[in-house]
Amino acid sequence: MQGSYNAMNTLQEKFEKEIKKDLLKKLEKGNVHAVPTLGKITVNMGIGRFKDDKQYKESCIRDLEQITGQKPQVTKSKKSIASFKLRKGEDVGVCVTLRGVKMWDFFQNLVCVVLPRVRDFRGISKKSFDGHGNCSIGFREHLVFPTIDSNKIEKIKSLQVVITTTASNDSDGYLLLKALGMPFKKELKPIKNA
């Protein structure tokens, strides 16, 4: 486990020593502290129609803990929705928020190991940004994460990874993630500022 943190440190160190200076010139910021960086990474897994299945919920918690290296929190519904047969306070998913060392480690693992394992992967779409410089990536199968043992999995689960940056707009967030190694699709239209 210690080795993975050393690998993470190389990306964080590379950001501090090289990438930050390049972004300072590209974004024409007056101060090195104005250069965007990673804020946090949130990994969510929905329980959905299996909300009453205790064993499924426990397997979601176990799988997300293996993926992130951190114990997940169970998220509950904020209000009742009759059409989904959902009551307020019911378990609807599991969630992990990564910051600091674990965040950089997870990001490097995501870019270098996980995304190349995705079937028919052609790059992340620029439409994945939310208008505030944050990027959401959905995975249909959690088996792309190498920490999951496929022999012990009963049901394939989908999950979402949200990369929150300190960028104020999508173009700055895009340049940051691209500089950190995120593989984006080659699209004709440039990304617009919000």
Side-chain angles (χ1 to χ4, degrees):
M1 194 71 179
Q2 187 64 36
S4 64
Y5 286 113
N6 290 338
M8 183 289 309
N9 286 335
T10 58
L11 179 64
Q12 194 172 7
E13 284 169 16
K14 188 177 178 186
F15 175 74
E16 292 295 335
K17 291 175 183 173
E18 300 170 28
I19 298 170
K20 214 177 212 183
K21 291 172 188 170
D22 293 343
L23 284 172
L24 185 68
K25 290 175 188 172
K26 277 184 187 173
L27 299 173
E28 297 174 358
K29 301 280 184 188
N31 187 337
V32 75
H33 298 294
V35 173
T37 184
L38 296 180
K40 65 180 178 180
I41 295 176
T42 314
V43 187
N44 307 299
M45 191 180 279
I47 295 172
R49 65 182 184 273
F50 302 107
K51 65 182 186 296
D52 299 322
D53 186 348
K54 190 177 179 185
Q55 199 173 6
Y56 182 80
K57 184 172 77 174
E58 286 171 2
S59 75
C60 285
I61 291 169
R62 184 190 63 237
D63 291 348
L64 202 56
E65 189 170 0
Q66 288 175 351
I67 288 168
T68 61
Q70 188 171 305
K71 191 164 176 68
Q73 284 186 315
V74 177
T75 53
K76 297 186 180 294
S77 60
K78 292 180 182 174
K79 59 183 178 180
S80 300
I81 303 171
S83 58
F84 291 116
K85 296 178 183 172
L86 186 69
R87 291 184 182 153
K88 185 178 179 180
E90 279 188 330
D91 297 342
V92 290
V94 288
C95 169
V96 168
T97 302
L98 301 169
R99 288 184 170 89
V101 171
K102 284 188 176 181
M103 172 189 69
W104 284 99
D105 188 26
F106 182 84
F107 184 85
Q108 183 161 345
N109 186 41
L110 181 74
V111 170
C112 299
V113 180
V114 176
L115 290 175
R117 288 175 55 136
V118 174
R119 205 178 314 152
D120 298 328
F121 180 70
R122 291 185 180 90
I124 303 293
S125 172
K126 292 175 188 174
K127 293 175 185 173
S128 301
F129 285 90
D130 66 351
H132 303 287
N134 308 316
C135 183
S136 298
I137 306 165
F139 292 91
R140 288 185 182 154
E141 298 179 0
H142 72 306
L143 297 175
V144 294
F145 289 87
T147 51
I148 297 293
D149 184 0
S150 57
N151 297 324
K152 295 179 182 176
I153 298 301
E154 293 171 16
K155 288 185 177 115
I156 292 173
K157 304 168 189 83
S158 59
L159 58 92
Q160 180 190 36
V161 175
V162 180
I163 301 163
T164 306
T165 69
T166 59
S168 57
N169 57 57
D170 286 347
S171 63
D172 289 6
Y174 169 76
L175 286 171
L176 167 68
L177 296 182
K178 190 167 185 185
L180 289 171
M182 181 68 78
F184 286 99
K185 277 183 189 172
K186 289 177 181 171
E187 294 170 333
L188 297 174
K189 291 181 182 177
I191 199 159
K192 291 179 183 175
N193 282 336

